[in-house]
Amino acid sequence: DTEVTQTPKHLVMGMTNKKSLKCEQHMGHRAMYWYKQKAKKPPELMFVYSYEKLSINESVPSRFSPECPNSSLLNLHLHALQPEDSALYLCASSQDSGAGGRVRAFFGQGTRLTVV
Amino acid sequence: ELKVEQNPLFLSMQEGKNYTIYCNYSTTSDRLYWYRQDPGKSLESLFVLLSNGAVKQEGRLMASLDTKARLSTLHITAAVHDLSATYFCAVGESGGGADGLTFGKGTHLIIQP
């Protein structure tokens, strides 16, 4: 199983809504990531979890709140988003040996988020 | 700050031709990735290159890495229409612990019959 599964695939939410994006992997990877990708742009790193601890937070606004309940799951809680937050949100996972021995990073299919 | 530059950003070519996409990065890295993205889709992993001189081939695509020059190339041989997509290189910084990837801007490749 080399899959990273993201749900939902599409989400439309109002600016006052609270919603969550979910990501799951069963490859035993201990590093999980959230990226944001706007149209015709490269993915941009938002958060990194390593061994269920937040290790990188790339100055993302607090209306995005990540959570890693266990080593297989990663959530992204959304609250009071703005229309400019509309984008494709990608989850990824990779092996992390802690010694630079990481190999391929697998990406989920993404959640296409539209904020209205 | 790690910077990743890809060129060209846009490439239109005919079927049967060969071409190369270049990826330069600014700091030491222990891994470089190539991804393919079709419109509206996620990223498909093509190659991961982990050492100087690494060369990997899959079908009509071949990737190489020169860590001294901080340069990777993705070479397309005898292009076919199905290879039309956006190709990204991505680089992870050296060192232990999990870190994310920094992506180049992508090369939008159109292959015309």
Side-chain angles (χ1 to χ4, degrees):
Chain A
D1 180 6
T2 57
E3 272 197 9
V4 177
T5 304
Q6 287 187 245
T7 55
K9 290 188 170 45
H10 300 273
L11 178 62
V12 179
M13 62 185 289
M15 289 189 282
T16 58
N17 291 158
K18 284 186 183 180
K19 295 286 184 185
S20 297
L21 309 185
K22 297 186 184 301
C23 175
E24 190 169 3
Q25 57 88 13
H26 295 288
M27 294 177 278
H29 292 175
R30 301 310 296 268
M32 295 184 76
Y33 312 81
W34 281 114
Y35 289 83
K36 173 182 177 179
Q37 186 179 24
K38 300 280 281 183
K40 300 190 188 302
K41 297 287 187 185
E44 293 180 346
L45 183 66
M46 299 174 74
F47 302 105
V48 180
Y49 272 85
S50 177
Y51 291 86
E52 294 103 73
K53 287 187 170 30
L54 183 64
S55 66
I56 293 180
N57 174 348
E58 293 284 347
S59 301
V60 177
S62 60
R63 56 187 184 267
F64 295 92
S65 173
E67 179 198 18
C68 191
N70 60 55
S71 60
S72 299
L73 294 174
L74 184 66
N75 299 322
L76 186 63
H77 302 298
L78 314 172
H79 174 54
L81 294 194
Q82 303 296 310
E84 59 265 29
D85 296 321
S86 299
L88 180 67
Y89 288 84
L90 294 163
C91 172
S93 72
S94 67
Q95 297 168 314
D96 173 28
S97 70
R102 292 170 301 283
V103 290
R104 194 167 296 207
F106 293 89
F107 281 81
Q109 291 303 302
T111 294
R112 188 159 300 283
L113 174 67
T114 304
V115 181
V116 296
Chain B
E1 181 193 350
L2 175 58
K3 288 185 173 20
V4 181
E5 290 188 3
Q6 252 180 273
N7 69 84
L9 298 182
F10 181 81
L11 177 57
S12 178
M13 56 192 287
Q14 287 187 314
E15 279 192 326
K17 300 288 188 185
N18 303 332
Y19 211 83
T20 301
I21 300 169
Y22 297 88
C23 176
N24 287 93
Y25 53 98
S26 61
T27 65
T28 305
S29 172
D30 60 1
R31 57 207 160 99
L32 187 138
Y33 299 79
W34 284 98
Y35 289 93
R36 168 183 171 147
Q37 188 173 39
D38 292 295
K41 303 289 186 182
S42 184
L43 297 164
E44 176 190 350
S45 178
L46 296 174
F47 302 107
V48 55
L49 303 166
L50 299 175
S51 60
N52 187 41
V55 177
K56 291 198 175 177
Q57 182 160 6
E58 181 80 27
R60 299 174 189 274
L61 301 178
M62 184 173 71
S64 66
L65 178 62
D66 180 344
T67 57
K68 293 189 175 129
R70 295 180 186 163
L71 170 69
S72 180
T73 60
L74 181 66
H75 187 73
I76 302 157
T77 302
V80 293
H81 178 67
D82 286 351
L83 291 178
S84 297
T86 299
Y87 292 85
F88 290 100
C89 67
V91 178
E93 294 193 47
S94 292
D99 54 25
L101 299 177
T102 300
F103 283 79
K105 289 186 176 178
T107 297
H108 183 47
L109 175 64
I110 295 177
I111 299 169
Q112 297 173 348

